[in-house]
Amino acid sequence: MIIAIDGPSGAGKSTVSKSVAKALGFNCLDTGAMYRSIAWYALEHGVSLEDSAALGEIARERAISFSHEPGNPAPKQVFIDGVDVTGDIRTSRIDRSVSSASKHPEVREALVEQQRRIGSQGDYVVEGRDIGTVVFPQAEVKVFLTASNEERARRRVAQNETRGVGSVDFDEVLADIVRRDELDSARETSPLVAAADAKCIDSTGFTIDEIIEQICAMARAAGANA
């Protein structure tokens, strides 16, 4: 079974996906980390984020992989071309750059193929921006998770404070979120949009546990054995 959780930056997709996967005994596939890895590799090697051909080559030629701990559905580490970029891809620099890298069709096509290969190997909760519309349109459960701009900025700041990377300036994070929404929604290839058959959940004012239970209930109704 595939549970697709889409939505804008800071909506809580990562936290919710990990918790849903753990509750159901599924694995997690963090597609956002894959796009972040491409942006990081390009910046580190002086490749322009507007060079679609070069970015596409990176996405095709540089292997992205994850390490896991037994019993934990979330990846512990993220690697690109054998380099551990777990912390490097969660900085404000990458927050500002990932939409520019992910907008290119060449990049998205290369990574979608890998995502489908991984997802075909078991039960996965997959979060991103085009999972239910492009990557896994046949997903048994589809959710579009969002929240107000201010709520998403508040959560992102708290997250950055906890992990010790990324900006903790509310105004800067809010501006980045608004800018990224505009870029993700306006791109020609796989724009940020809810699938027609997705359940839209506005998490503003709800606890994480309440959102998790809603999605787990949807999965059980669809046939998940948990």
Side-chain angles (χ1 to χ4, degrees), residues 36 39-40 43 88-89 91-98:
R36 285 174 173 271
W40 176 87
L43 292 174
D88 294 325
I89 63 173
T91 64
S92 56
R93 178 179 73 149
I94 302 304
D95 286 346
R96 292 190 297 267
S97 304
V98 64

Side-chain angles (χ1 to χ4, degrees), residues 28-29 91 106 111 115 117 129-130 153 180 189 192 196 216:
C28 244
L29 176 57
T91 64
E106 295 89 343
L111 293 188
Q115 292 156 16
R117 176 182 56 79
R129 283 165 175 72
D130 62 352
R180 188 169 181 189
T189 302
L192 172 64
C216 286

Side-chain angles (χ1 to χ4, degrees), residues 21-219:
K22 188 170 185 179
L24 296 175
F26 284 29
N27 288 316
C28 244
L29 176 57
D30 185 353
T31 63
M34 300 173 75
Y35 289 101
R36 285 174 173 271
S37 297
I38 298 301
W40 176 87
Y41 192 95
L43 292 174
E44 286 296 301
H45 292 83
V47 176
S48 170
L49 296 178
E50 297 304 316
D51 190 337
S52 58
L55 290 171
E57 183 177 355
I58 293 171
R60 288 190 303 273
E61 302 296 332
R62 305 302 172 184
I64 298 172
S65 59
F66 301 90
S67 70
H68 294 263
E69 290 183 336
N72 187 349
K76 179 183 179 182
Q77 294 171 293
V78 185
F79 300 87
I80 181 168
D81 206 31
V83 178
D84 184 349
V85 294
T86 309
D88 294 325
I89 63 173
R90 300 298 178 182
T91 64
S92 56
R93 178 179 73 149
I94 302 304
D95 286 346
R96 292 190 297 267
S97 304
V98 64
S99 288
S100 296
S102 64
K103 70 182 180 182
H104 300 289
E106 295 89 343
V107 173
R108 304 198 72 83
E109 289 170 6
L111 293 188
V112 163
E113 287 304 311
Q114 184 173 357
Q115 292 156 16
R116 287 174 175 165
R117 176 182 56 79
I118 296 172
S120 68
Q121 298 172 356
D123 294 321
Y124 277 90
V125 179
V126 190
E127 57 106 343
R129 283 165 175 72
D130 62 352
I131 307 305
T133 54
V134 175
V135 184
F136 294 108
Q138 80 286 5
E140 291 87 343
V141 176
K142 298 181 184 180
V143 172
F144 191 83
L145 186 65
T146 188
S148 69
N149 292 345
E150 291 75 16
E151 176 68 9
R152 290 189 286 138
R154 183 190 66 76
R155 292 175 183 171
R156 179 54 56 85
V157 167
Q159 183 183 53
N160 289 348
E161 287 178 339
T162 298
R163 66 191 180 189
V165 295
S167 175
V168 294
D169 181 279
F170 178 85
D171 290 336
E172 179 184 358
V173 171
L174 178 60
D176 283 344
I177 281 175
V178 171
R179 173 180 171 276
R180 188 169 181 189
D181 284 353
E182 292 173 348
L183 288 171
D184 288 348
S185 299
R187 69 184 179 221
E188 293 183 9
T189 302
S190 303
L192 172 64
V193 62
D197 54 347
K199 179 178 177 60
C200 294
I201 300 177
D202 186 335
S203 63
T204 306
F206 289 93
T207 67
I208 291 295
D209 287 342
E210 289 172 329
I211 301 300
I212 292 166
E213 181 49 40
Q214 283 191 58
I215 299 173
C216 286
M218 292 170 63

